[in-house]
């Protein structure tokens, strides 16, 4: 399968713990995005990379959140000192270029439950 | 903040019926996309509409972009149980070509 791969698919953690999610985009896609989706809502943009450069961050991305894409390939999203409000599905997506003329492909998401 | 409102939020219909889902905004988008999302999976792109007034058809699905590029609709003819899912519209603004603004979605259930 050459789609966007995310792991772990599910994570249950205690409040205050740190969690890290990994995303492997489609090979040679230079753009990578992170979104967050809660039940009953559409995905909300968190951040965007072009190659290894993080070019945009949403105000939703508090200081407890950090995303990296060190070699321009896979990306990690770390949440420190998790809170119950962080419970959501974290979606990764990639595309070869701009949206116009290029499809964005989403992974299956990583579900986070903070108890 | 650009907002996309979808209606209805929930829709449950019988197989064979027709339905329309609406996506409205006060903002202008350079293009708009429709996605379908099934439980436990990420959204999958159905269509992109770019030109005001544009109509695109995908088998039994018809997508329309409003003349002013602020609204869109998705019409499904003769719905099938396989059409069940969360339908999301997403706008792309000319100011930022790097992020999608999603609507809250319409959860469609087609009963056999």
């Amino acid at each position: 399968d050459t789609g966007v791969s995310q792991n772990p698919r599910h994570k249950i953690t205690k409040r205050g713990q740190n969690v890290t999610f990994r995303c492997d985009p489609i090979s040679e896609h230079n753009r990578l995005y992170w979104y967050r989706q809660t039940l009953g809502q559409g995905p909300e943009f968190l951040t965007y990379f072009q190659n290894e450069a993080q070019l945009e961050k949403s105000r939703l991305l508090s200081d407890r959140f950090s995303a990296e894409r060190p070699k321009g390939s896979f990306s990690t999203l770390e949440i420190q000192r998790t809170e119950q409000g962080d419970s959501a599905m974290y979606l990764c997506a990639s595309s070869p270029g701009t949206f116009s003329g290029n499809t964005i492909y989403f992974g299956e998401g990583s579900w986070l439950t903070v108890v | 903040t650009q907002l996309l409102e979808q209606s209805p939020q929930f829709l449950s219909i019988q197989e064979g019926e027709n339905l329309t889902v609406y996506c409205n905004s006060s903002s202008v988008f350079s293009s708009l996309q429709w996605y379908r999302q099934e439980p436990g999976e990420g959204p999958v792109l159905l269509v992109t509409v770019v030109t005001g007034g544009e109509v695109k058809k995908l088998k039994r699905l018809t997508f329309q972009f409003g003349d002013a590029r602020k609204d869109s609709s998705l019409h499904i003819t003769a719905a099938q149980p396989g059409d069940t899912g969360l339908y999301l519209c997403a706008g792309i603004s000319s100011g930022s070509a790097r992020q999608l603004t999603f609507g809250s979605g319409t959860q469609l259930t087609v009963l056999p």
Side-chain angles (χ1 to χ4, degrees):
Chain A
D1 188 304
T2 57
V4 177
S5 176
Q6 293 188 244
N7 65 82
R9 293 293 314 281
H10 298 90
K11 179 72 176 179
I12 300 174
T13 191
K14 291 184 178 179
R15 188 175 52 184
Q17 298 293 306
N18 299 343
V19 296
T20 299
F21 298 112
R22 175 178 168 127
C23 171
D24 287 272
I26 294 173
S27 179
E28 298 181 359
H29 278 191
N30 57 19
R31 298 188 180 219
L32 185 147
Y33 314 83
W34 285 99
Y35 283 79
R36 182 174 71 185
Q37 185 177 24
T38 53
L39 282 174
Q41 298 296 318
E44 297 172 294
F45 171 79
L46 292 178
T47 190
Y48 149 77
F49 290 85
Q50 178 153 340
N51 299 313
E52 66 277 6
Q54 187 174 20
L55 297 186
E56 241 179 275
K57 291 199 300 185
S58 161
R59 279 172 285 183
L60 291 174
L61 216 64
S62 75
D63 292 344
R64 296 184 297 104
F65 287 71
S66 62
E68 295 182 343
R69 194 183 183 196
K71 297 182 180 179
S73 56
F74 74 91
S75 175
T76 58
L77 176 67
E78 181 183 18
I79 308 173
Q80 296 182 324
R81 304 181 303 282
T82 52
E83 302 173 356
Q84 287 186 321
D86 297 332
S87 295
M89 181 162 71
Y90 291 85
L91 287 162
C92 178
S94 70
S95 75
T98 58
F99 285 124
S100 56
N102 283 289
T103 299
I104 182 172
Y105 297 87
F106 282 87
E108 294 179 319
S110 291
W111 277 104
L112 172 64
T113 302
V114 181
V115 297
Chain B
T1 303
Q2 296 176 309
L3 293 175
L4 278 168
E5 295 184 357
Q6 285 188 241
S7 61
Q9 187 176 359
F10 299 97
L11 187 56
S12 181
I13 62 172
Q14 293 293 137
E15 181 176 1
E17 292 184 356
N18 302 333
L19 68 115
T20 302
V21 175
Y22 299 93
C23 176
N24 295 292
S25 175
S26 58
S27 302
V28 175
F29 291 98
S30 60
S31 59
L32 193 138
Q33 298 182 323
W34 283 92
Y35 290 79
R36 190 174 90 179
Q37 185 176 22
E38 299 194 21
E41 298 184 6
V44 175
L45 179 65
L46 296 174
V47 77
T48 301
V49 285
V50 179
T51 306
E54 182 177 2
V55 176
K56 280 192 175 178
K57 291 192 175 184
L58 187 64
K59 296 183 181 178
R60 294 177 293 100
L61 278 60
T62 302
F63 304 86
Q64 185 162 9
F65 200 13
D67 291 341
R69 305 208 311 277
K70 292 183 179 180
D71 56 87
S72 181
S73 64
L74 158 60
H75 182 80
I76 301 179
T77 304
Q80 304 292 314
D83 296 327
T84 293
L86 179 67
Y87 288 83
L88 294 158
C89 65
I92 301 163
S93 64
S94 57
S96 172
R98 296 174 288 277
Q99 58 170 288
L100 296 169
T101 301
F102 280 91
S104 55
T106 294
Q107 180 61 54
L108 171 65
T109 302
V110 182
L111 303 169

